[in-house]
Amino acid sequence: EQQSVFSRADVLSTLVDMPEPGSDGPVVLPAASLEALTDEFLASHRVVWLRATSGRRDRLARKDGSTITTRDTREPEYSTAEMLAVQARALRNYEAGIAAGAGTVPPDVVAGTLARFPDLAGEQRQLVASFCTSGDRAQSAIGRPGTGKTYAMRAAVAAWEAAGYRVLGAAVKAEAARHLGDECSIPAEPLAWYLNRLDDPARSPLDGRTVLLVDEASTVGDRDLGALLS
């Protein structure tokens, strides 16, 4: 339901862990029956076989630290038709938001803000300028741990606020959201808090003058990312 990519082993282990209908205990079936159910599901119209695989499951790690390769060819991987539709909608919404004039800050305000952060490295300054002037509704940055992403976002927050935007923070984990809020001096909540309010205009915390910073965004599941982009 949640994984974008899975293997036959994932389906089998999920079946093993499923509760017996009407009971709190697990499903108890012979191994051959579980394998038959797995293969029936993988052959159904709900599942899409991915011809290009990630290779993540081609090597198995043993408890003693040694590894073995599963076989000469790549382990088959799958997705579901529903998940691919979720991803397609997310991509369409992302593309529709490129250069849409969202969250833009006048260049002189960006320059003035960056002047107040003289210790920012050139790469950090480029990141702030890009985020504040691209106009993209959704944008992302990749940074290794310790490269000063959060400190750079302090400058971006200052620029957005100087231009009259309200900046909020979010992360999948509550502790990460709290840390982001403390470091950038902005209100921050777990991402689920926002997602539970987006469908109700009267309760939604987001509007056209709000910028939402999502920390550790690569950990956001495709369903939640799709809802956020919508």
Side-chain angles (χ1 to χ4, degrees):
E1 183 182 5
Q2 298 297 331
Q3 287 183 224
S4 300
V5 178
F6 53 87
S7 68
R8 182 178 184 273
D10 291 324
V11 179
L12 187 59
S13 64
T14 300
L15 269 177
V16 171
D17 291 337
M18 285 182 66
E20 179 77 26
S23 169
D24 294 332
V27 172
V28 179
L29 288 172
S33 298
L34 289 168
E35 289 195 291
L37 285 170
T38 295
D39 293 334
E40 181 181 344
F41 171 70
L42 293 176
S44 73
H45 69 279
R46 298 175 181 271
V47 177
V48 178
W49 172 44
L50 305 177
R51 294 181 182 274
T53 67
S54 66
R56 288 184 296 111
R57 307 180 187 281
D58 299 340
R59 185 174 295 274
L60 303 179
R62 291 172 165 160
K63 288 184 178 180
D64 62 5
S66 63
T67 60
I68 58 171
T69 301
T70 54
R71 49 175 163 264
D72 293 336
T73 57
R74 287 187 178 275
E75 183 75 5
E77 291 179 326
Y78 307 86
S79 188
T80 63
E82 182 195 8
M83 184 61 77
L84 292 177
V86 168
Q87 294 173 337
R89 285 194 299 272
L91 283 172
R92 287 196 299 271
N93 283 324
Y94 168 76
E95 291 168 353
I98 294 176
T104 55
V105 178
D108 60 324
V109 175
V110 175
T113 302
L114 289 175
R116 293 160 42 202
F117 293 83
D119 48 344
L120 283 176
E123 197 172 49
Q124 292 171 305
R125 302 172 80 84
Q126 291 174 10
L127 173 63
V128 173
S130 175
F131 269 15
C132 293
T133 61
S134 73
D136 295 350
R137 284 200 180 99
Q139 47 194 330
S140 61
I142 300 174
R144 297 181 185 278
T147 55
K149 297 185 299 296
T150 304
Y151 184 65
M153 287 301 95
R154 282 192 207 173
V157 168
W160 276 314
E161 290 180 341
Y165 291 94
R166 179 181 59 150
V167 185
L168 303 176
V172 172
K173 296 181 179 179
E175 180 59 24
R178 184 195 64 78
H179 177 74
L180 175 67
D182 291 345
E183 290 296 311
C184 291
S185 300
I186 56 176
E189 299 286 350
L191 186 59
W193 185 88
Y194 293 96
L195 294 174
N196 288 334
R197 289 161 172 76
L198 292 182
D199 291 335
D200 184 356
R203 300 172 63 220
S204 176
L206 307 181
D207 58 27
R209 297 297 297 177
T210 300
V211 174
L212 181 66
L213 290 181
V214 183
D215 197 16
E216 300 178 354
S218 62
T219 64
V220 179
D222 282 350
R223 293 184 188 279
D224 287 347
L225 179 61
L228 195 57
L229 289 172
S230 293

